[in-house]
Amino acid sequence: MFAGTNNRMLELLWFIGYCREFPSQLAERIGGHPEWNRHVKYEAIKKGYVTVYRTKYRQRVIRSLRLTPLGLEYIAKKDSTVFPFVMAQQDTNSGSRNITERILRYHAQATALIMARNAGAVFLPGEKPSLLANPLASSAPYDPRKIYYYPVQEFRTAIQEPGRRTDQSVKTVAKSSRLLGVIICGRYCHCLYYTGHSRMYWLAGTEENMVAALEQVLRLRGIAVEVFSEVIIGTKMSVAQKLMKVETQHSSRYFTISDRYNNIFFITNDHRGDALLGVIADQKKQMEINRRALDGFIPPLDTKFYDAMTPDRRRPVVLGYLCDLFTFSNLSAYLDGFEEPAIVLCYDYQLNAIQSIVETPIEVRVMKGGDTI
């Protein structure tokens, strides 16, 4: 992507400019070691390439990184091929730039972009298929083996494309949705959401209609997606506990469990969430982790409700490391044909949260290979 290999300063400045507003703590996750990324961030601030805008929101201090003219000059000098992407994203409406709610929205979009990128997704317009009927620039042909990330702005542009016959209600839904973007790989489509502070409240009907609009746009572009999943990004695992306490199909500031999706995954907004999102998007990685986690267990009978059995065939085993809230909401402690409660396998940092979500008799264990840093 960049002409200079291992040029972390160029990479950092490019993402800050491309995202317009960039959360300060997210800079540590732009590839490489977090300590070195932190050093590069402070060096960029010291040299005047980046400024830090501080504000408060609900007793929280918000720190946002912004690209300066010196930073723009640095990008143009080091790699002129990526410079146009940054210039296309520069905000001309400077009067409303300091609105806190708008900054938080940009931060959520930047978080989704970085997590998708760390998961191995292609996100630049020229390197992925276009969603427009008449693309303004060259686009790559669709490859079902690759992982693509589309921010919600690209879907809104496709829905509102001139000459496209779209119902006005669909256009309204596209504007009001809390969707940040989607990750597409093969027949799977993962819709990314963020549970951070926002003035927009969660409306299950709006998001379900948005998914229907996404499916229509993708099919028109020749991308046949069959499985739609919701991926919720939260600050920590305790947020998943809170989400599961909200009644289903109810208007709420928090997310609700909707049967419109095949899965509802929860990931944390850190390096572990980046890794888990990469596993969710890549079926091959899932197969490798499943094979290692289920080593020592007996293959299941002809059923889809559990993944394996204990050697004595008395307890079913369910893989829960993907943190599918929809699966947890439907999981019964005692499955048909078993005398003892089920076992759920997960990563170590998910253990306490999942144990509080599932029914009490269910035992939650750390799976083989589930120890994280």
Side-chain angles (χ1 to χ4, degrees):
M1 175 178 170
F2 299 100
T5 58
N6 296 325
N7 191 337
R8 294 296 166 77
M9 179 67 74
L10 173 62
E11 194 172 5
L12 172 64
L13 297 182
W14 188 90
F15 275 106
I16 294 175
Y18 188 76
C19 297
R20 305 183 189 182
E21 300 283 348
F22 200 83
S24 179
Q25 67 276 14
L26 192 61
E28 301 173 7
R29 288 157 54 194
I30 305 181
H33 197 278
E35 290 295 334
W36 179 249
N37 290 339
R38 193 177 298 114
H39 167 76
V40 173
K41 178 182 69 173
Y42 291 139
E43 188 70 15
I45 296 173
K46 181 180 179 180
K47 292 185 177 181
Y49 298 149
V50 173
T51 60
V52 183
Y53 177 77
R54 295 176 176 85
T55 185
K56 284 188 176 181
Y57 184 78
R58 296 180 180 174
Q59 300 181 344
R60 295 174 180 265
V61 178
I62 307 299
R63 297 178 179 85
S64 183
L65 302 180
R66 295 175 175 177
L67 197 64
T68 65
L70 285 177
L72 285 171
E73 292 179 8
Y74 182 91
I75 297 175
K77 180 180 179 181
K78 293 295 182 179
D79 194 343
S80 59
T81 60
V82 300
F83 183 68
F85 293 106
V86 176
M87 291 302 300
Q89 297 295 330
Q90 294 307 295
D91 196 349
T92 57
N93 190 6
S94 58
S96 60
R97 185 172 188 178
N98 293 337
I99 297 177
T100 305
E101 289 81 1
R102 190 178 187 188
I103 293 174
L104 291 174
R105 182 64 176 171
Y106 280 136
H107 281 191
Q109 294 170 354
T111 300
L113 174 64
I114 293 299
M115 296 192 76
R117 181 253 191 182
N118 291 344
V122 176
F123 62 91
L124 288 179
E127 299 177 358
K128 62 185 179 183
S130 175
L131 298 178
L132 299 176
N134 300 305
L136 301 178
S138 60
S139 60
Y142 177 67
D143 185 351
R145 297 170 297 179
K146 290 186 177 181
I147 303 175
Y148 301 102
Y149 175 72
Y150 292 91
V152 68
Q153 292 87 347
E154 295 187 24
F155 277 100
R156 289 172 179 168
T157 302
I159 292 173
Q160 301 173 6
E161 186 177 12
R164 176 185 173 88
R165 296 183 178 180
T166 305
D167 189 84
Q168 185 61 37
S169 61
V170 176
K171 295 182 179 181
T172 303
V173 166
K175 292 181 180 179
S176 59
S177 172
R178 283 189 73 175
L179 179 69
L180 296 176
V182 301
I183 293 178
I184 298 173
C185 183
R187 64 189 188 95
Y188 296 91
C189 177
H190 305 288
C191 304
L192 271 59
Y193 295 89
Y194 185 53
T195 60
H197 297 283
S198 174
R199 293 180 63 184
M200 292 187 295
Y201 283 65
W202 172 264
L203 297 174
T206 299
E207 304 305 330
E208 291 172 359
N209 292 335
M210 183 63 181
V211 172
L214 296 181
E215 184 176 9
Q216 182 183 16
V217 171
L218 293 174
R219 289 191 178 278
L220 287 175
R221 299 284 77 81
I223 303 176
V225 174
E226 301 175 1
V227 181
F228 286 86
S229 302
E230 179 182 350
V231 180
I232 303 176
I233 306 170
T235 54
K236 48 189 176 181
M237 285 301 301
S238 60
V239 178
Q241 300 172 244
K242 182 181 293 185
L243 299 180
M244 293 296 291
K245 293 180 181 178
V246 179
E247 295 182 2
T248 59
Q249 301 298 335
H250 185 270
S251 298
S252 169
R253 178 185 166 196
Y254 299 103
F255 296 85
T256 55
I257 305 300
S258 171
D259 56 6
R260 176 62 180 83
Y261 302 94
N262 299 90
N263 308 94
I264 302 179
F265 302 112
F266 180 87
I267 60 177
T268 51
N269 184 17
D270 53 25
H271 67 281
R272 296 176 299 193
D274 294 342
L276 184 55
L277 182 59
V279 175
I280 292 173
D282 192 334
Q283 297 296 312
K284 291 184 178 179
K285 290 183 179 180
Q286 287 187 34
M287 293 177 62
E288 294 174 0
I289 295 177
N290 294 350
R291 189 180 300 110
R292 182 178 181 183
L294 297 177
D295 183 35
F297 294 104
I298 299 176
L301 301 175
D302 187 18
T303 178
K304 61 180 180 179
F305 297 108
Y306 60 95
D307 300 291
M309 298 182 293
T310 55
D312 58 6
R313 299 178 180 270
R314 297 174 64 90
R315 306 182 69 178
V317 179
V318 177
L319 291 172
Y321 70 92
L322 294 179
C323 203
D324 186 354
L325 302 184
F326 193 72
T327 297
F328 294 153
S329 65
N330 296 323
L331 182 61
S332 176
Y334 294 93
L335 299 181
D336 293 339
F338 294 95
E339 301 177 359
E340 298 183 14
I343 298 174
V344 175
L345 302 179
C346 65
Y347 287 110
D348 54 357
Y349 70 93
Q350 301 170 331
L351 181 66
N352 294 332
I354 294 179
Q355 185 66 76
S356 65
I357 291 174
V358 298
E359 295 184 18
T360 304
I362 297 177
E363 179 186 356
V364 181
R365 298 179 183 177
V366 177
M367 64 183 182
K368 292 181 179 180
D371 296 324
T372 60
I373 300 175

